[in-house]
Amino acid sequence: MPFKFNGFDHFQLTAPLGTEKETRYFFTEVLGCPEVEKPDSLSHFDSLWFDMGKHIMHIGLDEDHHAEKRGHPAFDIENIQELMDRLDEHGIAYEEDSNMPGARRFYTYSFFGHRMEFLEWNDQPETLKEGKRKLI
């Protein structure tokens, strides 16, 4: 039986070692994502985990942290305006982008320089829908 992809299980970004407080603040207070307890067998790793809905975000605390400027996670969310309002309340800059047909989206670089994309689909193109993607 051939293997198949079911989607992402989790993904990871890094933060500078020693920034646990700032990392927790960004994910729990600003984005409203609860922290997830790691399994005991992984508790020795310098990392924090956050519930992002369908997936878990791992934040590895790394003394050799380098921010991703181009590579980035993109979050499919509901009520994007509410998130934008929350970022405004916390003084976090973002940039709206209208290049994706059928979506309202924006980028922020606020989390230790990483690019993070947030989008809300209003009319997703058929060629991007699961099961109907046009493969090349």
Side-chain angles (χ1 to χ4, degrees):
M1 176 178 214
F3 79 91
K4 75 170 197 156
F5 285 99
N6 292 323
F8 286 106
D9 176 75
H10 70 274
F11 47 100
Q12 179 167 322
L13 292 176
T14 60
L17 192 62
T19 61
E20 292 88 344
K21 182 178 177 181
E22 296 89 342
T23 299
R24 282 187 174 103
Y25 176 79
F26 182 79
F27 283 93
T28 62
E29 298 299 318
V30 176
L31 297 183
C33 301
E35 188 170 352
V36 174
E37 185 176 347
K38 296 183 292 189
D40 288 340
S41 62
L42 299 174
S43 64
H44 64 284
F45 288 110
D46 289 324
S47 64
L48 302 168
W49 293 7
F50 300 94
D51 185 338
M52 305 287 293
K54 295 179 186 175
H55 308 291
I56 295 175
M57 169 73 88
H58 294 187
I59 303 298
L61 302 164
D62 191 344
E63 64 185 45
D64 191 31
H65 162 75
H66 297 286
E68 281 291 328
K69 299 292 185 187
R70 185 171 169 114
H72 64 278
F75 302 95
D76 180 3
I77 65 170
E78 294 178 19
N79 198 351
I80 197 168
Q81 185 61 54
E82 184 178 321
L83 177 56
M84 294 165 77
D85 293 345
R86 286 180 74 129
L87 294 177
D88 288 338
E89 289 170 14
H90 290 276
I92 295 174
Y94 55 87
E95 178 183 335
E96 286 193 76
D97 181 318
S98 60
N99 291 321
M100 180 64 74
R104 183 172 183 197
R105 71 180 183 165
F106 69 86
Y107 301 97
T108 183
Y109 293 88
S110 63
F111 179 68
F112 298 111
H114 287 294
R115 179 180 180 181
M116 297 174 76
E117 178 181 342
F118 299 87
L119 68 152
E120 180 176 31
W121 289 105
N122 300 313
D123 187 21
Q124 189 175 31
E126 288 295 316
T127 57
L128 297 180
K129 290 182 180 177
E130 186 177 350
K132 297 182 179 184
R133 293 187 185 118
K134 191 173 185 180
L135 304 178
I136 299 174

